[in-house]
Amino acid sequence: MMTLPPLVEPGEPLSREEVNRYSRHLLIPNVGMEGQRRIKNAKVLVIGAGGLGSPTLLYLAAAGVGTLGIIDFDRVDESNLQRQIIHTVDSIGELKVESAKRAIHQLNPHIKVETYTDRLEPDTAVELFSRYDLILDGTDNFATRYLVNDACMLADKPYVWGSIFRFEGQVSVFWENAPGGIGLNYRDLYPEPPPPELAPSCAQGGVFGVLCASIASIMSTEAIKLITGIGDPLIGRLIAYDALDMCYRELPIRRLPNRTPVTELGDYQTFCGLNPPADAMAIPVPVMTVLELKERLDQAQAPVLVDVRDPNEWEIVNIPGAILMPKSPTVAAEILTAFGPNADLVISCRSGARSKAVCEELIKLNAPKVRNLEGGVLAWVEQVAPELASY
């Protein structure tokens, strides 16, 4: 068993109200009055007030973490409420950090909440992290995960990482300079990011709502253990959870040999393949706006509209007259076989990214009349048919 010294020194004595509130913690020998004072004195930054951040923030607030920082630039959407339990119907349209702050203060008025509505960027991350004892990362994209990892290394801060997708989740703790030379970082687990098309977000691939609670509970537990110096932290270990099989697996993480030291923060969008260099950019793809498509439909001059989303997405909402042909390595060839090389083609997906890739393949196959539906089905719902469902 590996133990680490407490991350935080004990703070001020507890008030009578705090003793009453945290009495069930105080009864635990490993926590007690001193441990609760450490929790009270802790400053924890949670990145994202979404699926993982929501239950994590609630549990840390309930536990008495004295200062909670929240960074999130997004606003509450109706589709968030299936899993982001810190928000309510009344929060829709509100900044997530403000919704979360209000919920935290309703749960525990003793907590100080600091909010940040700017996107986390390399030029501010290290300084921001330096203000806190511990970082919790529940973001759903690889660019931010690598940024958090590298900034924590430069700021010499431990962080708890969690990830969810559909029915599966992962959790670990990374701390490059952990006492005893046992430190690891996220690059030891994932030296390189996967190709963007193999790393869909929750908005693209979906997530089982209650999975968030399972993973966030582990993240919160690890945070309290690090703060108080109790138990065996998840440094060097990855917990993988499968909700369908109700199975937890523990996998060892080893230090990557010959890894390059992180000395500065870089361009993580490009590193993760989201901003390829200009000479590697895909060929230009013509576009059609949803308003132009609506006009064509009204004039009975409809193009062949091919929707390359998955069938479950199609069931949520689809554009009248569209033909479903889910994206696959051969879908471009299948489209040409079905409609001919000279067909007036418009390709659509959720927001325009997958359809753009299909358009590029069609252009390479010498299809002269192909356009990408700009903004995809989401733009259609927003600008043309707001009475339809969205996701």
Side-chain angles (χ1 to χ4, degrees):
M1 179 175 176
M2 173 183 63
T3 59
L4 293 175
L7 190 61
V8 179
E9 292 297 317
E12 295 294 323
L14 303 184
S15 67
R16 180 181 62 81
E17 292 83 1
E18 290 172 318
V19 170
N20 290 338
R21 176 181 285 267
Y22 307 125
S23 62
R24 300 305 186 268
H25 272 176
L26 304 182
L27 295 171
I28 303 173
N30 285 10
V31 180
M33 190 68 73
E34 182 177 289
Q36 191 62 48
R37 288 172 57 199
R38 295 183 193 277
I39 296 171
K40 177 180 179 178
N41 201 33
K43 297 181 178 180
V44 177
L45 177 66
V46 178
I47 303 173
L52 290 177
S54 290
T56 297
L57 285 165
L58 289 174
Y59 266 117
L60 294 180
V65 171
T67 301
L68 284 173
I70 315 170
I71 179 168
D72 197 316
F73 64 89
D74 203 4
R75 293 181 179 270
V76 180
D77 181 79
E78 188 175 14
S79 66
N80 301 148
L81 303 183
Q82 158 257 14
R83 65 199 180 282
Q84 299 181 17
I85 59 172
I86 205 167
H87 311 299
T88 65
V89 172
D90 293 338
S91 304
I92 293 175
E94 185 178 8
L95 285 166
K96 287 185 177 180
V97 295
E98 294 302 325
S99 171
K101 180 178 181 179
R102 182 173 62 253
I104 289 169
H105 282 157
Q106 289 173 345
L107 175 63
N108 190 345
H110 299 286
I111 306 303
K112 179 182 178 182
V113 180
E114 300 172 339
T115 60
Y116 308 91
T117 57
D118 293 332
R119 190 187 297 268
L120 185 68
E121 298 288 357
D123 58 348
T124 59
V126 175
E127 192 277 329
L128 176 61
F129 290 6
S130 298
R131 305 176 199 170
Y132 293 87
D133 302 304
L134 178 64
I135 315 297
L136 272 72
D137 177 22
T139 56
D140 68 350
N141 68 88
F142 279 89
T144 304
R145 290 171 186 169
Y146 282 101
L147 168 57
V148 171
N149 176 78
D150 294 358
C152 282
M153 292 173 66
L154 294 178
D156 192 17
K157 298 294 180 179
Y159 78 101
V160 182
W161 166 76
S163 172
I164 51 176
F165 183 69
R166 294 182 176 166
F167 296 100
E168 299 178 351
Q170 299 178 342
V171 191
S172 190
V173 173
F174 298 106
W175 190 0
E176 176 71 7
N177 298 317
I182 58 174
L184 297 166
N185 71 77
Y186 184 74
R187 292 176 181 270
D188 292 311
L189 178 62
Y190 293 114
E192 299 287 340
E197 63 272 15
L198 298 181
S201 66
C202 292
Q204 297 168 321
V207 62
F208 195 44
V210 295
L211 174 69
C212 301
S214 301
I215 299 303
S217 176
I218 300 174
M219 294 176 67
S220 305
T221 301
E222 290 302 303
I224 298 299
K225 287 163 56 181
L226 288 167
I227 290 168
T228 57
I230 62 174
D232 188 2
L234 274 177
I235 295 178
R237 297 182 291 149
L238 173 74
I239 295 296
Y241 172 56
D242 186 323
L244 288 186
D245 291 341
M246 192 47 66
C247 172
Y248 288 90
R249 293 180 297 143
E250 180 180 307
L251 305 173
I253 305 174
R254 299 287 183 255
R255 182 180 289 264
L256 189 70
N258 303 319
R259 54 185 165 114
T260 303
V262 174
T263 58
E264 61 182 0
L265 303 183
D267 182 350
Y268 295 92
Q269 295 290 316
T270 299
F271 176 66
C272 292
L274 302 175
N275 290 331
D279 59 354
M281 293 290 285
I283 56 177
V285 173
V287 300
M288 174 179 283
T289 69
V290 293
L291 296 179
E292 290 170 338
L293 175 61
K294 176 66 165 55
E295 183 179 358
R296 291 281 300 272
L297 292 173
D298 291 344
Q299 296 174 353
Q301 298 175 351
V304 176
L305 178 61
V306 178
D307 189 325
V308 297
R309 296 176 299 154
D310 293 336
N312 55 334
E313 296 178 271
W314 170 272
E315 290 179 1
I316 296 173
V317 59
N318 56 77
I319 300 175
I323 301 165
L324 179 64
M325 298 183 71
K327 187 176 182 297
S328 71
T330 61
V331 70
E334 293 169 7
I335 291 171
L336 290 186
T337 299
F339 306 109
N342 294 312
D344 184 12
L345 294 169
V346 175
I347 313 300
S348 71
C349 66
R350 180 178 184 269
S351 60
R354 283 172 286 175
S355 54
K356 181 175 183 290
V358 173
C359 287
E360 291 172 349
E361 290 300 316
L362 285 165
I363 292 172
K364 291 177 183 177
L365 294 174
N366 299 316
K369 300 178 182 179
V370 58
R371 281 159 293 178
N372 186 34
L373 185 64
E374 190 173 45
V377 174
L378 293 184
W380 177 268
V381 172
E382 180 181 353
Q383 300 178 39
V384 177
E387 71 278 4
L388 296 179
S390 187
Y391 67 105

